[in-house]
Amino acid sequence: NTTDFQIIYQLDNVDAAGFGASDFKISVEANDFLVVFIENLTDFANKPETMEDAEVQAVVESLIENDLLEALMMSPELNVSDFHGTLPQGKFSFNMFNKIVGVDALPEPLEDQTYWLQHVNSNAQLNVDKDVLEFFAGLYVEKQMQQTPQIVESMTPEQISNYAAEQTPAMLDSLTQQGLITLENEKYSTTFTLKGGEADINGTPF
């Protein structure tokens, strides 16, 4: 037997450490999950934290040997069906749908990335106002600069922040020229697809 379930987190307003957001929602859906696998996984999660490493390893191996293949053969889905919010800089929305397909045996080793790329179908879409992406891209550039000792020693925090803000438009322009993001009507967007081991971003294989 399989089961479906959904988890929704929703907040009208968020204000933490000077970071504000409103109309914040994330909805996660799981479909066609094997009931016995979920039950055994829940039992494992509820076991005492004092379990010895050998006991933990034995439980994990038992889950893999007894339940994992059957669970994957059900072609389960794990989706972020709705993730959106409003920041001071603007709005964003994101969704991602993932489905296991065509599994009839477990790979050796289990971590075989090539195998899983062939058996996972994914679709994702991100839409974000221009000012929002520029804000987070600026924070990323600033963070990278702060990890370079020579920069930290020669520039003040304000200078680093200003320089990061100056570099951000060029970085986003580069991503746009590469086709990784698109800009239209002051909004950035990107789509990602993975099927049969082949992936593309905005229709361009990579």
Side-chain angles (χ1 to χ4, degrees):
N1 292 337
T2 61
T3 187
D4 304 338
F5 57 91
Q6 182 180 38
I7 300 172
I8 298 176
Y9 292 99
Q10 189 165 357
L11 295 170
D12 292 332
N13 291 283
V14 181
D15 189 359
F19 179 81
S22 60
D23 186 28
F24 182 88
K25 177 182 179 181
I26 182 168
S27 176
V28 178
E29 299 175 355
N31 300 321
D32 297 321
F33 270 61
L34 189 68
V35 172
V36 66
F37 180 72
I38 294 297
E39 291 175 344
N40 291 338
L41 195 62
T42 301
D43 288 343
F44 171 61
N46 291 332
K47 288 184 180 297
E49 296 181 1
T50 54
M51 286 179 64
E52 298 290 335
D53 290 345
E55 294 179 279
V56 173
Q57 182 66 26
V59 174
V60 171
E61 289 178 354
S62 176
L63 280 170
I64 293 173
E65 181 178 350
N66 299 322
D67 301 323
L68 183 59
L69 177 58
E70 185 180 1
L72 296 175
M73 290 175 66
M74 298 296 103
S75 294
E77 300 179 12
L78 185 60
N79 308 319
V80 180
S81 57
D82 183 16
F83 178 30
H84 71 254
T86 300
L87 306 175
Q89 296 79 11
K91 298 181 178 182
F92 71 90
S93 65
F94 171 80
N95 59 60
M96 186 172 193
F97 299 88
N98 307 285
K99 184 180 181 69
I100 299 292
V101 295
V103 171
D104 54 16
L106 295 178
E108 290 287 348
L110 190 62
E111 300 83 10
D112 186 345
Q113 294 184 6
T114 301
Y115 178 87
W116 295 115
L117 287 174
Q118 293 285 340
H119 293 278
V120 175
N121 287 351
S122 292
N123 293 280
Q125 182 168 11
L126 172 68
N127 297 291
V128 56
D129 285 349
K130 183 173 180 288
D131 288 348
V132 174
L133 188 57
E134 288 183 347
F135 171 73
F136 282 105
L139 290 181
Y140 171 79
V141 174
E142 187 174 342
K143 180 75 172 179
Q144 294 299 109
M145 293 177 66
Q146 290 171 343
Q147 293 176 351
T148 305
Q150 296 90 333
I151 293 178
V152 173
E153 292 172 1
S154 62
M155 299 176 68
T156 66
E158 184 179 0
Q159 288 174 325
I160 291 175
S161 180
N162 291 338
Y163 185 81
E166 292 173 359
Q167 295 301 306
T168 296
M171 182 182 72
L172 295 179
D173 283 345
S174 175
L175 294 176
T176 302
Q177 292 172 10
Q178 294 174 58
L180 299 178
I181 56 177
T182 61
L183 175 62
E184 185 176 354
N185 297 326
E186 297 297 298
K187 296 180 184 295
Y188 283 104
S189 65
T190 189
T191 60
F192 169 81
T193 301
L194 172 64
K195 186 174 183 179
E198 298 182 355
D200 70 65
I201 292 181
N202 296 323
T204 302
F206 75 100

